[in-house]
Amino acid sequence: MKKVNVNYEKMYYGFPVVLISYYDKEGIANVTTLSSTYTLKDMVMLGFSSKGYAVSQIKEVSDFVINLADSRLMEEIEFCGKNTGADCKKFDSVNLTPVPSKHINAPSIAECPVSIECTLTDVIESPHYKGITNILATIKGRLVSETHLDENANIKIEEFHNLSYFSDGVNRGFK
């Protein structure tokens, strides 16, 4: 396989698409689309543009939920990614239902098969990566739809139809 050097400003090579839900500092439920995230044990990392409304709110309120979205929610994913919570109440604009969490002060999304309740522990803004804010958090709770679990409460992988995000800075898409 012959490879060619490319000079992309950024490259997303198939990150899972999630919906991050939270209450803003006024107590209003809001949600944003994100694809830069990973977890290890009870630690989670999210990567945001530093200018975003969601990251500014999460830095103040600390609690948020990572909701795994699937292909049925494509319209909602696009809307929540293109619009800012500073200008609209996204839950009022899309077919998503906020549900109070059990362990933290943030709403989960009823239509998502998995919700991971988190509390902020660290904010990382490095001068080496201007314009990027990394959020580290502790997982406080994990909720999985009964339809996605077998009789032993293990995940039924075949039930998941998660979306992955790909982009070279010009072309973008979901798979």
Side-chain angles (χ1 to χ4, degrees):
M1 173 182 312
K2 183 177 179 180
K3 297 180 184 173
V4 177
N5 281 322
V6 294
N7 190 23
Y8 302 145
E9 177 185 339
K10 57 185 170 183
M11 183 173 177
Y12 292 90
Y13 45 89
F15 296 99
V17 176
V18 298
L19 292 169
I20 306 296
S21 53
Y22 57 94
Y23 293 119
D24 67 16
K25 63 184 178 181
E26 306 302 323
I28 297 168
N30 220 318
V31 57
T32 194
T33 303
L34 191 70
S35 64
S36 298
T37 179
Y38 73 89
T39 66
L40 293 171
K41 295 193 176 193
D42 286 339
M43 186 274 311
V44 65
M45 190 287 301
L46 305 177
F48 288 91
S49 165
S50 299
K51 298 176 190 174
Y53 180 76
V55 72
S56 72
Q57 295 301 301
I58 289 168
K59 285 164 57 174
E60 287 201 39
V61 300
S62 295
D63 290 342
F64 60 91
V65 179
I66 300 169
N67 301 275
L68 300 186
D70 62 27
S71 56
R72 295 174 298 122
L73 299 175
M74 196 65 229
E75 189 175 310
E76 289 82 358
I77 290 165
E78 288 278 6
F79 181 88
C80 292
K82 290 181 180 176
N83 293 281
T84 175
D87 295 336
C88 69
K89 296 176 183 175
K90 295 183 196 179
F91 275 108
D92 293 345
S93 303
V94 294
N95 293 317
L96 296 174
T97 309
V99 178
S101 294
K102 297 177 191 228
H103 299 102
I104 61 168
N105 186 30
S108 65
I109 298 175
E111 294 77 10
C112 292
V114 174
S115 296
I116 303 169
E117 301 170 331
C118 305
T119 297
L120 174 74
T121 58
D122 298 283
V123 176
I124 302 166
E125 295 176 314
S126 170
H128 298 289
Y129 303 102
K130 293 183 189 292
I132 296 172
T133 298
N134 289 300
I135 297 291
L136 288 175
T138 299
I139 296 172
K140 300 290 189 163
R142 295 173 179 91
L143 299 120
V144 179
S145 167
E146 290 178 343
T147 61
H148 289 67
L149 297 174
D150 66 18
E151 61 278 353
N152 297 316
N154 294 315
I155 291 177
K156 293 194 292 189
I157 295 169
E158 67 276 4
E159 292 296 321
F160 287 89
H161 304 285
N162 296 12
L163 292 170
S164 294
Y165 177 69
F166 294 84
S167 175
D168 62 8
V170 176
N171 295 306
R172 63 186 272 295
F174 300 97
K175 183 175 179 178

